[in-house]
Amino acid sequence: MKSIYITTNIWIETVAACIKRSMNYRSNFLLSLVDALVWLSISLSFFFILIDNFESVGGYGKSEVLILIGVAEIIKSNVFAFFVSGISKIPGYINSGELDLHITRPINLTFYLCTREFELPELLSSIPGAIMITLGIMEIDTFQLSGIFGMILFVILSIFIVVNFWLTLISVSFWTKNQTNMNEVAISAISLMKYPKTVYNGIGKFVLTFIVPVSVLANTPMEVLRGNVLPSQVADFIIILITSFLLRKIVWTLGIRSYDSASL
Amino acid sequence: MYRNIFLYSLNTSLNYRLQLLINASIGFIPSLGVIFVWLYIAKEKTIPGYSPEEIITYVLVAKLLQQALIPDFHWTMIEEIQNGDMAKYIVRPITHLHYWFSKESATIIVKSGLATVSLIPIYAIFFSNLVIPDIASMAMFIVSSSLALILYFLIYYLISLLGFWLVEIYAFIYTTDILIEFLSGVLIPLDLFPDRVQSILQWLPFHYMIYLPINSFIGKLNFTQFMGGICIQILWCITMYLAIKVIWHKAILKYNGAGL
């Protein structure tokens, strides 16, 4: 209990310091927001042009696409705000031996490394995501208020899946000492979550559902919000969540055990 | 002198070809979603103006071409502007633009070679679903891609010059990357855009960076349309070059060599 209290206090202080630092660079702050809005506009334009030409994309009309991209944006913005800056530096710590310093701290190592940095501009791009979800909800008939709470729960679980997946990839650095490629692979893979899962088929569907589970990250919360989710989809999601957690734990633990301290 | 720069850069790029291939492969991952969407649409719907084989070829080759042509030099150039290293180019008897073009074109040639090699397994897997260009189409594709290479370089060079005035330019570069990707037709063929947007885009340089070469590749252009596109490509290259000359002159007057 005491360790949770200490960890929480440290995290709050870290976030406060990062927010103060962000506010020193206001132009970068604003440019990040503009960047996020442009990304969203292009994603929406891509789907809307397709829907104008073909009526739907994988059975998804404009309202479904609005919700899907909105959910994807909320997941992405939270991952990038709370975890990306911290996680992306781990290969550097491993390569330089700086991980020694962090291992010796009296705090949960994984939590500490993942949450060392907080990017406020990234979190603010959740706002356009929420607006898009609201606009999408206004056009669907099957919406229920309980769907919002279900969606929020599944969004939080999706964030955990992303973090577990990312950490598993990063852990490869314990053996390869590669600094940047795994971060790029993770960021590239996450960008796939905004596509309707119905467009995937064959081996691509299997890989993108169970091995690199990007197709369920935004699609499942969206289906929960719409009230269309099947029990089998929830079961798949839970299996993926548990598997990603266990896989991350195993690979990370093996990595730490194989870590060559710089002081030896 | 620029020939030597080109040859040196070519040699360096060939030494790091595996890294180039890895970077290109990673850059291809976000396109998987787009490719799966188009494969789905090609199977389920009728695409106006494109057969299923043409659209699948379009999407695959467009992404490969973009990966080959998109330059990387602008990150180094912006860093040099902001930390004061630009001074070394000013005192040397070389033109900064020509120096970077010589250096970057070697890298792009290696990337293009890797992209061409990547097409072999793609054609092997999707053979019956892809368009095989004839000699005329391939020749038109090579000519239009070569001009697209120059246009890509000039546009990114022009954007990089903003580093003389803007400190935080990196977010702007990322935004530009995705805008160019969208407006050049990498994600969606430009003739599927709304009519008003198409009429605007055909006068912008983005139309001639990916859309023109790819339509040459899949044989959708006759010779007159191709030559019209080439003329506009050349006009845009000249326009960008002149704009660079003007902005470079103003930038150098502002530059103090101490870094920002």
Side-chain angles (χ1 to χ4, degrees):
Chain A
M1 200 64 197
K2 188 177 175 188
S3 68
I4 294 174
Y5 176 76
I6 292 170
T7 302
T8 308
N9 272 345
I10 291 171
W11 180 72
I12 291 171
E13 292 297 327
T14 304
V15 168
C18 290
I19 291 174
K20 283 179 200 164
R21 188 188 62 203
S22 292
M23 298 313 290
N24 284 333
Y25 298 98
R26 289 185 188 86
S27 59
N28 194 37
F29 191 93
L30 291 170
L31 282 173
S32 297
L33 280 176
V34 169
D35 186 49
L37 285 171
V38 172
W39 272 98
L40 277 174
S41 304
I42 288 180
S43 297
L44 274 178
S45 301
F46 170 72
F47 282 106
F48 281 9
I49 291 172
L50 290 179
I51 291 170
D52 281 343
N53 280 281
F54 308 113
E55 291 177 4
S56 67
V57 177
Y60 285 34
K62 282 188 178 173
S63 56
E64 288 87 357
V65 161
L66 272 171
I67 298 171
L68 180 64
I69 293 180
V71 170
E73 184 61 21
I74 288 176
I75 293 170
K76 190 195 95 169
S77 64
N78 278 274
V79 168
F80 275 59
F82 289 101
F83 302 105
V84 161
S85 291
I87 294 177
S88 60
K89 289 183 177 146
I90 293 174
Y93 300 152
I94 295 169
N95 207 40
S96 66
E98 194 183 327
L99 193 63
D100 297 1
L101 176 66
H102 303 303
I103 285 177
T104 55
R105 292 182 197 272
I107 187 172
N108 180 282
L109 178 65
T110 314
F111 178 82
Y112 173 67
L113 290 176
C114 293
T115 59
R116 284 195 72 204
E117 307 270 348
F118 174 71
E119 302 286 345
L120 182 60
E122 298 289 350
L123 188 63
L124 292 180
S125 61
S126 294
I127 297 173
I131 292 172
M132 288 164 60
I133 292 173
T134 308
L135 291 173
I137 285 172
M138 284 161 56
E139 292 193 23
I140 57 174
D141 300 326
T142 55
F143 166 71
Q144 292 174 340
L145 197 58
S146 58
I148 291 184
F149 299 109
M151 183 201 76
I152 291 172
L153 171 64
F154 275 83
V155 163
I156 293 171
L157 295 177
S158 291
I159 291 169
F160 280 125
I161 293 175
V162 171
V163 172
N164 284 328
F165 169 72
W166 202 315
L167 272 174
T168 307
L169 279 180
I170 288 296
S171 299
V172 172
S173 301
F174 282 110
W175 295 281
T176 66
K177 308 288 190 276
N178 183 294
Q179 286 210 33
T180 58
N181 283 345
M182 288 301 135
N183 280 319
E184 297 300 319
V185 170
I187 292 172
S188 299
I190 287 167
S191 69
L192 295 175
M193 66 177 165
K194 66 181 181 232
Y195 296 99
K197 64 178 184 195
T198 43
V199 303
Y200 301 121
N201 58 19
I203 193 164
K205 184 178 180 180
F206 177 79
V207 169
L208 293 173
T209 304
F210 295 106
I211 305 202
V212 184
V214 289
S215 71
V216 300
L217 293 175
N219 278 275
T220 307
M222 190 206 77
E223 295 294 338
V224 169
L225 179 66
R226 290 174 63 201
N228 286 352
V229 70
L230 300 172
S232 58
Q233 288 175 299
V234 175
D236 285 345
F237 190 91
I238 301 297
I239 290 171
I240 291 166
L241 174 67
I242 295 170
T243 308
S244 67
F245 172 75
L246 291 174
L247 188 63
R248 187 268 300 168
K249 199 120 175 80
I250 291 168
V251 176
W252 178 260
T253 305
L254 288 174
I256 289 287
R257 285 183 190 165
S258 76
Y259 173 62
D260 296 324
S261 170
S263 59
L264 292 176
Chain B
M1 180 169 36
Y2 297 114
R3 189 176 74 99
N4 290 339
I5 294 168
F6 172 83
L7 290 173
Y8 177 77
S9 179
L10 187 68
N11 193 34
T12 310
S13 298
L14 286 171
N15 283 335
Y16 290 99
R17 55 191 180 279
L18 180 60
Q19 187 60 45
L20 285 177
L21 189 62
I22 289 171
N23 290 345
S25 303
I26 292 172
F28 206 77
I29 293 174
S31 307
L32 287 175
V34 175
I35 291 167
F36 272 107
V37 165
W38 279 110
L39 284 172
Y40 177 89
I41 291 173
K43 203 168 66 168
E44 302 284 333
K45 313 271 184 181
T46 304
I47 303 166
Y50 292 87
S51 66
E53 294 80 18
E54 284 172 343
I55 195 67
I56 293 170
T57 310
Y58 180 104
V59 173
L60 287 171
V61 180
K63 189 58 190 175
L64 281 173
L65 183 64
Q66 187 215 22
Q67 289 286 88
L69 295 184
I70 198 162
D72 295 319
F73 74 95
H74 48 291
W75 304 113
T76 309
M77 183 171 154
I78 290 166
E79 202 181 317
E80 286 178 344
I81 292 171
Q82 296 186 342
N83 65 17
D85 283 346
M86 186 61 79
K88 69 184 180 212
Y89 299 104
I90 298 169
V91 300
R92 288 178 184 169
I94 56 172
T95 307
H96 188 256
L97 172 67
H98 298 163
Y99 167 80
W100 273 113
F101 183 73
S102 307
K103 202 169 174 203
E104 189 65 17
S105 53
T107 308
I108 289 175
I109 286 171
V110 173
K111 286 200 289 182
S112 302
L114 290 171
T116 306
V117 168
S118 308
L119 271 177
I120 298 171
I122 291 172
Y123 264 84
I125 296 168
F126 293 100
F127 179 73
S128 58
N129 293 325
L130 296 176
V131 168
I132 298 175
D134 55 28
I135 294 175
S137 298
M138 188 55 90
M140 290 197 288
F141 172 71
I142 291 171
V143 169
S144 55
S145 297
S146 304
L147 285 168
L149 182 162
I150 298 172
L151 200 48
Y152 254 106
F153 174 83
L154 291 173
I155 287 175
Y156 274 84
Y157 189 93
L158 188 62
I159 293 167
S160 303
L161 290 178
L162 292 174
F164 282 101
W165 288 275
L166 297 176
V167 175
E168 291 296 335
I169 192 175
Y170 296 101
F172 181 75
I173 299 279
Y174 285 122
T175 305
T176 309
D177 279 347
I178 50 171
L179 266 176
I180 290 178
E181 183 183 50
F182 185 65
L183 296 176
S184 62
V186 175
L187 303 180
I188 304 179
L190 296 183
D191 42 7
L192 295 182
F193 279 47
D195 292 338
R196 265 195 209 166
V197 177
Q198 282 187 56
S199 59
I200 296 169
L201 284 177
Q202 68 178 350
W203 297 110
L204 296 179
F206 315 115
H207 191 278
Y208 306 94
M209 293 165 80
I210 297 291
Y211 180 73
L212 177 71
I214 297 303
N215 274 292
S216 306
F217 186 88
I218 59 178
K220 288 187 73 63
L221 298 179
N222 59 39
F223 188 70
T224 310
Q225 289 168 323
F226 169 72
M227 287 309 297
I230 291 295
C231 290
I232 299 180
Q233 263 186 325
I234 293 172
L235 272 172
W236 271 112
C237 289
I238 295 171
T239 307
M240 289 293 161
Y241 184 79
L242 293 174
I244 285 168
K245 284 290 182 192
V246 168
I247 295 174
W248 172 263
H249 179 69
K250 290 186 188 311
I252 287 301
L253 289 175
K254 179 188 182 299
Y255 187 67
N256 61 20
L260 295 173

